[in-house]
Amino acid sequence: MRGRRRRTPLALAAALVALAVVVPHANATEGALGRPVSGTGVQPNAGVVSPEPIWAVNFAEIYFDGNIGGSRQAPIAGTTSLGLNGELSFTLATLMKTWKTDTGAWNFASSFTLPYLWTKATATLSGGRGNSAGTSQTASNLFDITFTPIIAGYHFSKTDHMSFSVAIWAPTGRYDPNALANPSLNNWTFIPQVAYTKFVPAYDLEFDVIAGVQFYTRNTATNYQNAPLFTLDVMGLKKFSNGLGVGLVMGTTQQLGSDSGPTADQLNGFRGHDFALGPIVTYDTKIDGKHPLSFSARWVPTITATNRLKSTKTFMATATLVF
C-alpha cells in the first residue's frame, strides 16, 4: 500500500475534475445533455482523500461531438429544434488542497475549477408557415466556474475508501438566451456525490464508482426548469509495475423527472437517459523522483441515448501534478 498512498494525491486531484465535466453548448437538459458527460465522471482513486496535506493542479481536456437525429425535437434557445448537433473543446484547470487533519479515518479537501470552452451548435429551426432552416453558431469564452468547499473522505481499511462531496456550479459565463451556442448554462447547479474505491493488491486491480444527483435552478432567461439528473460512472483498472494502467469505463445519466416550462411542455417533459462505454489508459511517474505526475486518456462513445446527445467522439485526457 505504500506505493498506492504515494499515488493517492494526484488521483484525488484528477477525481475532483470529474465534478467539473460538462457539455455546455446549450442550457442543461434544455440543450439535450446538461452538465454530465457519461463515462467522464470517474477517475482512479475516486473515493480516496489523501491523509497528507498537499496542493495539486489538474488539467483536463474534453472533446465531444454529438447529435440528436432530425426525427426528434430538442429544446434550445427558448424554442425547439428538429435535430441538434453539438461540438466542443473544453479545458478545465483545477486547484485542489487537502487539509491536515487529526480525525482518525476521516480526511478533508477543497477544490476550485476554472473552465474554458469552445463550442459549436447546429440546429434546424422553424421559420414559420411550415418552413425550417438549418443554422450554426460558435462561441468561446470562460465557462461557469465550479467549486467544492469540502470533500470528506473516510478510510474503512487500506483497500476500501469512500468520499462525499457537494460541487457547486455558478452561472458566471456569458449567456445570450437567443444564441444556440453559449459559454454558460445560466443556472446554479448543486451536485451531491459519493465515490467508492476498492483495491485488490494481490492482482494490482482497482475498482472505482461515483454516483451523484444534479439539481438545477430555473433558467430565468428561457423559463426552462431542468429535472434532476442521476449519474453513475464505474471503472475497473489494472495497474502494472512500469506505471501503466489499462481499464474499462462505464457511465450512465438518468433523468429523474420531466423538465418543465413552456418549451419543455411542448415536448412532454423531454425526459432522457444515456449509456456510455469505453477504454482508459493511465500512467504514473515522478518529476525529480519526488513530485508525483499522472496522465490518463479515455474514449467513451455513447452506446444508447434517448433525448440526449449521442456521440461516438467523446475523448478525455488529464494531467495532474502534486507539489
Side-chain angles (χ1 to χ4, degrees):
M1 283 299 294
R2 191 173 292 177
R4 291 191 182 278
R5 285 183 179 177
R6 286 197 295 268
R7 292 197 296 268
T8 291
L10 45 96
L12 170 63
L16 295 180
V17 174
L19 299 173
V21 173
V22 302
V23 170
H25 66 276
N27 316 319
T29 48
E30 186 177 359
L33 199 68
R35 297 201 184 274
V37 181
S38 295
T40 63
V42 63
Q43 299 288 340
N45 289 281
V48 184
V49 176
S50 172
E52 303 172 8
I54 56 96
W55 286 92
V57 176
N58 180 284
F59 294 96
E61 182 68 28
I62 299 169
Y63 177 79
F64 180 95
D65 188 354
N67 67 83
I68 287 183
S71 61
R72 287 183 177 272
Q73 288 184 305
I76 188 171
T79 185
T80 60
S81 166
L82 188 61
L84 178 65
N85 178 268
E87 181 183 2
L88 71 87
S89 176
F90 194 47
T91 305
L92 306 100
T94 297
L95 180 65
M96 186 273 296
K97 168 67 175 176
T98 61
W99 305 100
K100 183 178 180 180
T101 55
D102 298 308
T103 54
W106 288 95
N107 294 105
F108 303 92
S110 304
S111 75
F112 174 84
T113 297
L114 184 66
Y116 188 88
L117 167 72
W118 175 90
T119 182
K120 178 180 180 180
T122 303
T124 302
L125 305 177
S126 173
R129 297 183 179 181
N131 298 321
S132 61
T135 184
S136 180
Q137 294 180 359
T138 61
S140 60
N141 212 321
L142 290 174
F143 187 63
D144 298 340
I145 63 170
T146 181
F147 55 96
T148 309
I150 292 293
I151 304 101
Y154 185 79
H155 310 282
F156 295 99
S157 67
K158 292 183 178 181
T159 59
D160 295 88
H161 310 265
M162 183 172 286
S163 67
F164 308 87
S165 62
V166 178
I168 302 171
W169 285 86
T172 56
R174 188 176 62 191
Y175 182 79
D176 179 355
N178 298 314
L180 298 180
N182 266 304
S184 175
L185 299 190
N186 199 42
N187 58 44
W188 289 83
T189 309
F190 304 90
I191 310 174
Q193 190 164 265
V194 59
Y196 174 75
T197 293
K198 171 71 175 181
F199 298 116
V200 186
Y203 301 98
D204 290 321
L205 295 176
E206 177 185 332
F207 300 95
D208 298 278
V209 180
I210 293 185
V213 180
Q214 304 198 358
F215 298 95
Y216 298 82
T217 62
R218 183 178 294 274
N219 183 345
T220 56
T222 60
N223 196 27
Y224 198 102
Q225 175 64 63
N226 302 290
L229 298 178
F230 171 75
T231 62
L232 176 67
D233 283 3
V234 181
M235 179 177 64
L237 194 64
K238 167 68 175 178
K239 294 286 186 74
F240 299 94
S241 59
N242 60 1
L244 285 174
V246 295
L248 189 66
V249 177
M250 297 178 288
T252 185
T253 298
Q254 302 286 331
Q255 191 167 325
L256 300 181
S258 297
D259 296 340
S260 62
T263 305
D265 293 343
Q266 295 178 31
L267 302 177
N268 298 317
F270 200 63
R271 189 167 181 169
H273 57 83
D274 64 18
F275 176 77
L277 174 69
I280 182 173
V281 178
T282 66
Y283 180 69
D284 296 331
T285 186
K286 287 188 175 182
I287 298 178
D288 296 329
K290 59 181 179 179
H291 297 294
L293 177 65
S294 71
F295 301 94
S296 73
R298 72 183 68 185
W299 171 52
V300 280
T302 309
I303 304 302
T304 182
T306 299
N307 286 342
R308 290 180 60 80
L309 296 179
K310 184 175 182 179
S311 170
T312 59
K313 301 176 182 178
T314 303
F315 302 96
M316 180 180 183
T318 68
T320 305
L321 176 65
V322 174
F323 56 94

